[in-house]
Amino acid sequence: MSTAYLNGEYLPLSEARVSPLDRGFLFGDGIYEVIPSYNGRMVGFTPHIERMQRGLATVGINLDWSVEQWRELCTSLMKMNDMGNLGLYLHVTRGQDTTRFHAYPEGVSPTVFAFVIDIPPEQTVDRNLVKTLKVSSARDQRWQHCDIKSTALLGNVMHFQQGYAAGNNETILYNERDELTEGSACNVYVIKDGVVNTPPLDHQILPGITRLILLDILRKDGSIPVQERVIPMSEVLAADEIWLTSSSKEIAPVIMIDGKPVGSGEPGPVWEAAQKLYSANKFNY
Ligand code: PMP
């Protein structure tokens, strides 16, 4: 049984309890993070915590934890849960109210919950060994604040299920102008003629930390050009390679979209080069 953290206490996950009057339960009124760690080494700890602190400030949840307090919590959870490949799941809600009323309550302390989830081992850098993914595509029907890592994920869950029900691993989404946004739980990249293209940061996508790290590594290395720009779905369907990134996936090659092969239908050379660079540099973040 894994060890979790709830409001100041470490306890077995099976014993963790929150009230049904918690606004996280009633309204999905909370912010979360998942930080990947491999044998006690985290990837992107500081940018993950900064994103969470930005999200909390944006939705007016007042929690005055320092970055060091979060680091202590993450370190303790890794130690108590035998290291390995762990996603450190951090979850802060507006807290437990005394009734169900939409307005932000006064004098309520946020609920802080954390536990660990198993994530896959570190990604291979060999295109003959990598697990390939298949995706569906669908019109993005989520809300207008996809840049906030809200615990209210019903829109994402419904989109993920669309792809899953069709026998695919993910669903990639496009807006009403047929422009790529992101996946239901990942960022998306379209590779054409050796250039890595990905949608720019705005309200339509989550500013992924894997995206942040990958783009920084690629730009510092300089051998693979990167463009953040609006991408019509016609370009997605004509891509040489498509990748997905997230904290648990690292960089994952997509070989099929809506039943049609992407490029050659196999993981490509740009993927292999990019994943090599990512694997070599990710622990610097
Ligand atoms: N977009 C969405 C909608 C996500 O849920 C996630 C995380 N699973 C990402 C992008 C990728 O973010 P990160 O690289 O920080 O895990």
Side-chain angles (χ1 to χ4, degrees):
M1 171 47 61
S2 69
T3 300
Y5 170 93
L6 181 60
N7 293 331
E9 201 189 339
Y10 290 95
L11 72 180
L13 177 59
S14 59
E15 290 174 19
R17 297 280 180 277
V18 289
S19 164
L21 288 178
D22 193 284
R23 291 183 55 110
F25 184 73
L26 290 174
F27 296 118
D29 185 355
I31 297 290
Y32 78 107
E33 269 304 324
V34 181
I35 306 176
S37 72
Y38 304 97
N39 294 315
R41 297 170 81 193
M42 292 184 275
V43 177
F45 170 79
T46 304
H48 274 284
I49 297 301
E50 286 173 355
R51 180 174 66 184
M52 184 166 60
Q53 289 180 330
R54 270 199 315 275
L56 290 169
T58 304
V59 302
I61 294 178
N62 300 313
L63 181 78
D64 58 354
W65 277 38
S66 66
V67 174
E68 281 321 302
Q69 271 173 291
W70 286 112
R71 190 187 296 279
E72 212 175 290
L73 169 61
C74 290
T75 306
S76 302
L77 280 178
M78 286 189 288
K79 282 196 187 130
M80 290 173 187
N81 289 290
D82 297 334
M83 307 294 190
N85 312 314
L86 298 177
L88 302 162
Y89 179 92
L90 314 175
H91 181 126
V92 180
T93 78
R94 202 177 303 279
Q96 178 185 335
D97 204 346
T98 51
T99 184
R100 182 182 181 280
F101 178 55
H102 288 60
Y104 300 175
E106 301 278 332
V108 165
S109 312
T111 299
V112 181
F113 171 61
F115 76 121
V116 298
I117 51 179
D118 285 327
I119 58 170
E122 291 182 63
Q123 179 68 293
T124 174
V125 296
D126 183 337
R127 65 180 138 145
N128 298 309
L129 299 178
V130 66
K131 178 179 169 351
T132 55
L133 303 184
K134 298 176 184 171
V135 300
S136 295
S137 69
R139 163 84 190 281
D140 196 338
Q141 294 188 313
R142 301 172 301 158
W143 68 331
Q144 301 293 308
H145 278 302
C146 292
D147 51 324
I148 299 174
K149 199 163 170 65
S150 161
T151 58
L153 285 171
L154 186 56
N156 303 62
V157 165
M158 289 174 72
H159 278 315
F160 187 90
Q161 185 64 25
Q162 277 179 299
Y164 190 74
N168 290 325
N169 306 96
E170 248 292 5
T171 306
I172 65 172
L173 304 169
Y174 48 87
N175 65 20
E176 67 284 355
R177 293 180 300 282
D178 282 347
E179 298 157 354
L180 176 66
T181 58
E182 62 176 344
S184 75
C186 55
N187 293 114
V188 183
Y189 306 76
V190 173
I191 291 72
K192 189 73 182 175
D193 298 329
V195 179
V196 176
N197 302 278
T198 198
L201 295 183
D202 62 14
H203 68 281
Q204 300 179 102
I205 71 170
L206 186 77
I209 303 303
T210 319
R211 178 189 184 284
L212 176 91
I213 295 174
L214 173 63
L215 295 191
D216 193 57
I217 290 172
L218 292 181
R219 284 183 173 132
K220 282 187 176 140
D221 173 73
S223 62
I224 305 173
V226 177
Q227 283 193 343
E228 292 173 79
R229 64 173 178 88
V230 172
I231 303 173
M233 278 307 278
S234 55
E235 288 190 34
V236 178
L237 301 175
D240 297 333
E241 302 181 24
I242 297 176
W243 313 335
L244 309 180
T245 67
S246 75
S247 293
S248 57
K249 288 185 179 68
E250 301 201 356
I251 314 170
V254 174
I255 56 151
M256 191 93 88
I257 175 166
D258 296 327
K260 293 181 206 84
V262 175
S264 65
E266 290 177 357
V270 189
W271 171 80
E272 196 171 80
Q275 180 62 57
K276 274 188 188 148
L277 285 168
Y278 186 83
S279 297
N281 293 288
K282 68 186 179 194
F283 288 116
N284 299 333
Y285 292 83

